[in-house]
């Protein structure tokens, strides 16, 4: 009986203790930082694949047939205008010149005799004219033989850099055979293709600035230290790609750039009335970009956005949100679609001005 009384007392004590302590319900809301897209005008740096060409790049070919008798230069050598480069054996052409000169001398004597007779009215004026025509032909043959002889000596048409040899000393070359190529690298022409929309933006910028400077990103990911200027745009768009070809001219005083190199053109493109958001305010699902939009009841909703362009730490928005929307700036991993939050709003200009590279 005593034991039963003790058990009942313990039960009453347990019930009194447990029943009197009700669980405290705490609704804990996370306080997060939000902002809005910034509507503004800005510029972005666009990158275009480019091909680099020398200002002048030509093929040097044999103008006459014969043996390659002398080579005065070496591969990769810098040459100056008028400098001898190749000599094709000139003996046959020298003989042709001497023959033509001898013929011209003989015809000249004949012409003088005919003229003397014509002055004495012994021969007709027509015979004198025929003799004069023969003399002119003989002189033309001399001039032609001199030209052929000159063609056996190939000289540099401008200052430039030699490429490798296509013919070797002593080899037989025919008229038109390639001997080497020559590049004038004092300035370079860089070609790149621009889409139609960006071409229109460029034209607006060119009207305001008159000159549009561009930079060249070389294959080693270093920017060429001399800026270039866009001077030429082709006449027609490519209907298949929707692009038009631009040509920028770069000075090349150190000769660093060579014909045939590749790189990328960096051109500043103005953007009018666009929306900017921090990259850290976005997240990706299956290669699509999303943000969390906060509604008037402080509930976050996942919304897909389309990106027009990318800038350091920023995205230019094409569609999906407006400048009136509030988007979650931090704590994206702490919430899910439909969560109610408390937040602090931060002006987008302040957010972007203090933006650093960050990824949650």
């Amino acid at each position: 009986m005593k034991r039963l009384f003790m058990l009942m007392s313990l039960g009453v004590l347990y019930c009194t203790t447990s029943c009197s302590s009700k669980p405290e319900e705490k609704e804990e809301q996370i306080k997060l930082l939000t902002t809005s897209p910034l509507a503004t005008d800005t510029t972005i740096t666009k990158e275009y694949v480019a091909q680099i060409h020398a200002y002048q790049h030509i093929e040097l070919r044999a103008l006459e047939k014969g043996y390659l008798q002398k080579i005065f230069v070496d591969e990769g050598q810098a040459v100056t205008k008028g400098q001898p480069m190749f000599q094709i054996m000139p003996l046959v052409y020298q003989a042709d010149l001497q023959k033509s000169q001898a013929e011209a001398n003989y015809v000249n004597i004949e012409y003088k005799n005919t003229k003397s007779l014509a002055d004495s009215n012994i021969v007709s004026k027509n015979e004198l004219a025929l003799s004069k025509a023969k003399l002119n032909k003989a002189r033309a043959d001399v001039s032609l033989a001199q030209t052929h002889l000159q063609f056996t000596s190939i000289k540099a048409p401008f200052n430039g850099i030699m490429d490798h040899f296509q013919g070797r000393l002593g080899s037989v070359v025919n008229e038109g055979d390639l001997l080497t190529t020559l590049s004038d690298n004092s300035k370079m022409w860089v070609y790149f293709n621009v889409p139609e929309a960006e071409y229109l933006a460029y034209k607006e910028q060119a009207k305001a600035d008159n000159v549009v400077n561009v930079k060249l990103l070389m294959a080693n990911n270093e920017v060429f230290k001399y800026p270039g200027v866009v001077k030429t745009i082709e006449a027609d768009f490519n209907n298949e790609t929707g692009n038009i070809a631009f040509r920028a001219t770069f000075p090349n005083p150190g000769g660093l750039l060579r014909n045939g190199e590749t790189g990328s053109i960096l051109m500043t493109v103005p953007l009018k009335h666009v929306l900017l958001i921090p990259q850290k305010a976005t997240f990706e699902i299956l290669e699509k970009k999303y943000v969390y939009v906060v509604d008037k009841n402080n509930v976050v909703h996942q919304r897909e956005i389309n990106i027009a362009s990318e800038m350091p730490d920023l995205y230019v928005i094409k569609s999906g949100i407006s400048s009136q929307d509030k988007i979650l700036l931090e704590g994206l991993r702490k919430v899910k679609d439909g969560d109610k939050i408390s937040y602090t709003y931060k002006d987008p200009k302040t957010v972007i001005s203090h933006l650093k590279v960050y990824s949650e």
Side-chain angles (χ1 to χ4, degrees):
M1 190 71 177
K2 184 177 180 181
R3 183 179 179 185
L4 179 61
F5 177 76
M6 290 177 65
L7 290 172
M8 291 176 62
S9 300
L10 289 172
V12 171
L13 179 63
Y14 175 78
C15 181
T16 304
T17 305
S18 61
C19 292
S20 62
S21 60
K22 296 180 180 179
E24 295 182 6
E25 296 180 0
K26 293 183 179 179
E27 186 177 338
E28 183 179 351
Q29 289 186 342
I30 304 171
K31 196 164 190 178
L32 300 174
L33 188 63
T34 64
T35 188
S36 296
L38 176 64
T40 185
D41 296 339
T42 187
T43 59
I44 61 171
T45 300
K46 297 287 291 185
E47 185 172 329
Y48 305 93
V49 176
Q51 294 182 334
I52 303 171
H53 296 273
Y55 167 62
Q56 293 188 90
H57 180 76
I58 64 168
E59 296 177 339
L60 291 177
R61 295 182 177 272
L63 298 176
E64 298 293 347
K65 180 180 178 180
Y67 287 98
L68 193 55
Q69 187 179 40
K70 292 181 181 180
I71 299 178
F72 301 101
V73 290
D74 198 3
E75 296 174 334
Q77 178 182 335
V79 297
T80 57
K81 183 177 180 179
Q83 179 179 343
M85 300 176 69
F86 300 96
Q87 177 69 61
I88 297 173
M89 186 174 288
L91 296 180
V92 174
Y93 302 100
Q94 286 176 343
D96 286 342
L97 176 59
Q98 291 171 355
K99 178 181 177 183
S100 299
Q101 288 174 334
E103 182 69 22
N105 290 336
Y106 175 77
V107 174
N108 187 43
I109 293 173
E110 279 191 340
Y111 169 74
K112 288 180 179 179
N113 291 335
T114 304
K115 187 175 185 306
S116 178
L117 294 173
D119 291 341
S120 302
N121 293 322
I122 298 175
V123 297
S124 66
K125 292 182 179 179
N126 287 341
E127 192 169 347
L128 177 62
L130 181 60
S131 180
K132 177 66 173 177
K134 289 181 179 179
L135 177 59
N136 290 338
K137 181 180 180 302
R139 288 174 175 172
D141 289 340
V142 171
S143 179
L144 180 61
Q146 287 175 335
T147 301
H148 282 294
L149 181 60
Q150 290 173 357
F151 283 167
T152 62
S153 177
I154 300 173
K155 299 179 181 180
F158 51 78
N159 298 344
I161 304 291
M162 288 276 301
D163 199 2
H164 64 275
F165 296 142
Q166 299 293 335
R168 299 297 176 180
L169 191 65
S171 59
V172 177
V173 293
N174 292 309
E175 182 180 345
D177 282 355
L178 179 64
L179 300 176
T180 188
T181 57
L182 184 66
S183 297
D184 179 359
N185 294 336
S186 58
K187 57 182 177 180
M188 307 300 288
W189 283 349
V190 181
Y191 294 86
F192 59 103
N193 294 319
V194 175
E196 184 175 355
E198 293 167 17
Y199 158 79
L200 296 173
Y202 162 82
K203 294 298 289 184
E204 290 297 324
Q205 184 183 7
K207 287 180 182 178
D209 299 342
N210 295 323
V211 174
V212 175
N213 292 321
V214 294
K215 295 180 180 179
L216 176 63
L217 182 65
M218 298 182 292
N220 60 355
N221 287 325
E222 292 186 6
V223 176
F224 186 56
K225 65 179 181 179
Y226 299 102
V229 178
V230 176
K231 291 187 174 180
T232 301
I233 303 174
E234 287 190 1
D236 299 324
F237 277 89
N238 185 322
N239 291 331
E240 294 180 358
T241 63
N243 295 335
I244 192 168
F246 279 44
R247 189 189 77 196
T249 302
F250 285 81
N252 190 32
L256 177 62
L257 301 179
R258 296 292 181 98
N259 185 77
E261 283 188 74
T262 58
S264 298
I265 286 290
L266 304 177
M267 185 167 70
T268 300
V269 178
L271 298 177
K272 301 291 186 181
H273 312 301
V274 295
L275 294 180
L276 302 180
I277 65 169
Q279 291 188 14
K280 69 177 184 177
T282 68
F283 59 98
E284 188 172 314
I285 300 177
L286 298 177
E287 299 183 353
K288 294 182 178 181
K289 298 287 185 184
Y290 293 86
V291 295
Y292 279 122
V293 178
V294 184
D295 66 15
K296 61 182 180 180
N297 297 318
N298 297 352
V299 176
V300 295
H301 300 281
Q302 177 179 302
R303 187 181 299 176
E304 182 182 352
I305 57 173
N306 294 312
I307 307 299
S309 300
E310 185 174 345
M311 301 168 64
D313 307 325
L314 296 171
Y315 285 131
V316 179
I317 300 302
K318 183 178 181 181
S319 62
I321 53 177
S322 71
S323 60
Q324 306 302 318
D325 290 322
K326 291 184 178 68
I327 61 173
L328 196 59
L329 182 61
E330 295 178 354
L332 277 66
R333 293 186 178 180
K334 298 178 181 179
V335 300
K336 61 182 182 298
D337 190 78
D339 283 354
K340 187 172 184 178
I341 63 169
S342 63
Y343 64 86
T344 301
Y345 180 81
K346 197 169 185 179
D347 183 75
K349 290 184 179 178
T350 304
V351 170
I352 290 177
S353 64
H354 293 88
L355 197 60
K356 300 292 182 184
V357 176
Y358 171 82
S359 178
E360 251 190 59

